[in-house]
Each structure stands twice: as C-alpha cells, then as structure tokens.
C-alpha cells in the first residue's frame, strides 16, 4: 500500500470541541513563551552548542515549540539526526508552523520576512529567538541578511532558511534560490537539507500549510481546530560544498528534500 497525498476535508464536526480545550491551553502557553523570552533568552540568546551539548536556552526553545505543536494536535517525529552547530539548515516551506516544527527538534536562527517583525507579540517572540528579518525583493536587505547569517554561522550558531523564497501550496516544491547558499560557503559550514512532511492515518496531508488565498489568521485557526496528525522532520544527508558553486548545492538540496517528501510504501 502506498501513502497517498490528500487534502483535509473541510467538514469536521469535532472542530468546535477542539477549540474548547485548545484555546485556553494556547493562551497559557503564550504566557509561558513571554516569560521564556523575557527571563531567559534576553540574557543568553547568543549561547551556542559545545561538544555536541545543547545550551539551556536551546533546550527551552525546543520544549516550548514541542508544546505548541502538541496544542495544535501535531506530534513532531524526527527522522535522521541534525548535525552539530554550526549548520545551515534548508527546508521546504508550507506555513508559519514550519518554524516551530523545526524548532521542536533543533534551535536555530531563522530567516523570515520582515512583515513578521511588526506582528503584535509574534514579532517580539521571533526577534527574541534570534530571527533574522528580510524584506523580500530588496537586494540591499538580502545583502545585509547574508552578512548576519555568515556572522551567526561563524560564531557557532545554526541558521535555518526556506530557499523557496515563499510558501508552496498543495505539496508543490518550488525552485530553490541559490544565492542564500553562499552564506554556508563563506562561513565554511555544512548545509543540511530538512524535509517537513505532515501525515495523518498513513497518508500525507498536502494542505496542512497555507492553502491558496489563505492568510495567516485563517491558517492559524484552521490548524488549531484540526484533527491530530504527525509532523515529520527529516534531517537528510548534508550537501557538500560544490566546486560547481551554489546553484548545484541548491539543486542537490532540493532533490533530497523532494525525495523525502515522496509517497512511500507503508
């Protein structure tokens, strides 16, 4: 039997009941996140992994993110092992939940669109976690972001990016932008592809992320009330620095992620 890629049915009679207990838990969890950022991350946000051991702040980020995933009915499942810091993680992008999904397995500095920095509370939480904000379409912003990425990587921090440059819909994996891979070459760190995959009852859910014309709040509420499913984080074989340059690295990373996302025999 093969794993089918399916969409979640819109009709769900249990959705109101899930909101009934998930919303209060979410509010409590947000308060815990504020305390985590205010009391821990503000004074130790630059901590790095040493001898393969995660610093306390990274473990707290992973625990909080795993808790958030659980509230949304998502059970994060790790496949493979992340490399030690410093690493450039490159992953496919489906929605805002991808950041928390990867964070549930490994703390990293994410590159995210600049609009998030202006979102109430969310922007502050993201900035406290070391997010690097980028204005899409701005070459000046990208150059500055690349500089910060190289600085973080050289200091021992891992950085995570979504090289598609935006979210894909209906399970489509878009072309990877190659320029972002230059940061790994300049910092002389490995690139590890990461495939993010959502599965329910043995079937891949292709619309767990953003649907066409769906905004953040619509997606947030749909996922908050949705039925439980597994959220797989596949840490794949690292992409070597290529003498052919960053374009080859981007293509190879995309190929490995695409293979991990494919339906497989059960």
């Amino acid at each position: 039997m093969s794993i089918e890629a399916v969409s979640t049915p819109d009709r769900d009679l249990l959705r109101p009941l899930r909101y009934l207990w998930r919303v209060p838990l979410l509010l409590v969890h947000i308060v815990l996140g504020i305390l985590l950022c205010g009391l821990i991350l503000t004074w130790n946000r630059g901590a790095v992994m040493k001898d393969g051991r995660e610093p306390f702040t990274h473990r707290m980020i992973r625990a909080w993110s795993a808790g958030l995933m659980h509230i949304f009915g998502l059970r994060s499942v790790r496949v493979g092992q992340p490399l030690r810091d410093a690493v450039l993680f490159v992953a496919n992008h489906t929605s805002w939940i991808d950041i928390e999904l990867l964070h549930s397995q490994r703390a990293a500095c994410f590159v995210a669109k600049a609009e998030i920095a202006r979102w109430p509370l969310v922007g502050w939480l993201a900035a406290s976690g070391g997010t690097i904000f980028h204005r899409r379409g701005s070459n000046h912003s990208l150059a500055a972001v690349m500089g910060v990425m190289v600085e973080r990587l050289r200091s021992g921090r891992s950085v995570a990016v979504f090289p598609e440059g935006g979210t894909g819909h209906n399970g489509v994996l878009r072309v990877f932008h190659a320029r972002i891979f230059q940061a790994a070459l300049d910092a002389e760190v490995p690139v590890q592809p990461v495939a993010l995959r959502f599965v329910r009852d043995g079937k891949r859910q292709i619309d767990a992320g953003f649907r066409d014309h769906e905004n953040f709040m619509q997606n947030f509420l749909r996922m908050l009330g949705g039925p439980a499913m597994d959220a797989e984080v596949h840490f794949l074989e690292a992409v070597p620095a290529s003498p052919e340059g960053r374009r080859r690295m981007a293509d190879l990373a995309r190929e490995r992620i695409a293979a991990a996302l494919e339906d497989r025999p059960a």
Side-chain angles (χ1 to χ4, degrees):
M1 182 180 69
S2 63
I3 297 179
E4 301 176 11
V6 299
S7 299
T8 304
D10 288 326
R11 185 174 178 80
D12 185 357
L13 298 178
L14 295 179
R15 180 174 292 272
L17 294 179
R18 297 191 193 100
Y19 286 134
L20 193 62
W21 67 270
R22 286 181 181 176
V23 170
L25 284 178
L26 178 61
L27 294 176
V28 172
H29 201 68
I30 290 174
V31 172
L32 291 177
I34 294 173
L35 293 175
L36 171 65
C37 291
L39 300 178
I40 298 178
L41 293 183
T42 53
W43 57 265
N44 202 21
R45 69 176 62 185
V48 298
M49 181 180 289
K50 295 181 180 179
D51 299 322
R53 298 176 59 184
E54 286 183 299
F56 177 72
T57 50
H58 289 196
R59 294 198 299 272
M60 291 299 98
I61 290 173
R62 287 202 301 108
W64 189 87
S65 296
L68 182 67
M69 300 286 293
H70 182 72
I71 291 172
F72 277 78
L74 301 173
R75 185 175 73 93
S76 53
V77 179
R78 178 190 293 183
V79 181
Q81 293 295 327
L83 299 176
R84 295 183 178 184
D85 285 342
V87 187
L88 178 64
F89 294 113
V90 294
N92 57 301
H93 197 16
T94 63
S95 80
W96 62 274
I97 201 69
D98 298 336
I99 294 177
E100 298 306 328
L101 176 54
L102 186 49
H103 260 165
S104 73
Q105 300 298 326
R106 180 62 174 277
C109 302
F110 276 84
V111 176
K113 61 182 181 180
E115 291 85 347
I116 293 177
R118 298 193 295 270
W119 292 358
L121 185 59
V122 174
W124 177 73
L125 290 172
S128 298
T131 298
I132 306 168
F133 296 108
H134 166 53
R135 294 194 306 276
R136 290 178 180 173
S138 170
N139 288 331
H140 177 74
S141 174
L142 180 58
V145 166
M146 292 283 288
V148 175
M149 288 175 60
V150 173
E151 179 183 345
R152 298 274 179 91
L153 291 167
R154 286 177 175 169
S155 70
R157 293 289 304 275
S158 287
V159 175
V161 298
F162 302 113
E164 292 172 271
T167 54
H169 302 288
N170 300 320
V172 175
L173 185 64
R174 305 196 305 182
V175 174
F176 282 11
H177 295 289
R179 185 176 176 182
I180 206 76
F181 288 77
Q182 187 64 44
L185 293 173
D186 292 345
E188 299 182 336
V189 301
V191 175
Q192 185 170 30
V194 183
L196 306 178
R197 193 171 185 272
F198 300 89
V199 177
R200 181 185 296 118
D201 298 328
K203 299 177 181 179
R204 181 186 174 200
Q205 302 295 303
I206 61 173
D207 69 341
F210 284 119
R211 293 176 176 175
D212 290 328
H213 310 298
E214 185 179 52
N215 61 35
F216 168 78
M217 187 54 63
Q218 290 171 330
N219 178 265
F220 184 93
L221 293 175
R222 178 168 63 85
M223 295 190 69
L224 182 60
M229 62 180 163
D230 290 339
E232 300 175 350
V233 186
H234 295 252
F235 290 99
L236 307 173
E237 181 184 355
V239 173
S242 173
E244 301 175 24
R246 60 199 189 193
R247 180 70 264 166
R248 176 55 185 157
M249 295 173 67
D251 291 343
L252 183 56
R254 185 184 181 280
E255 289 172 9
R256 292 181 178 174
I257 291 174
L261 292 176
E262 284 182 358
D263 298 338
R264 304 180 298 275

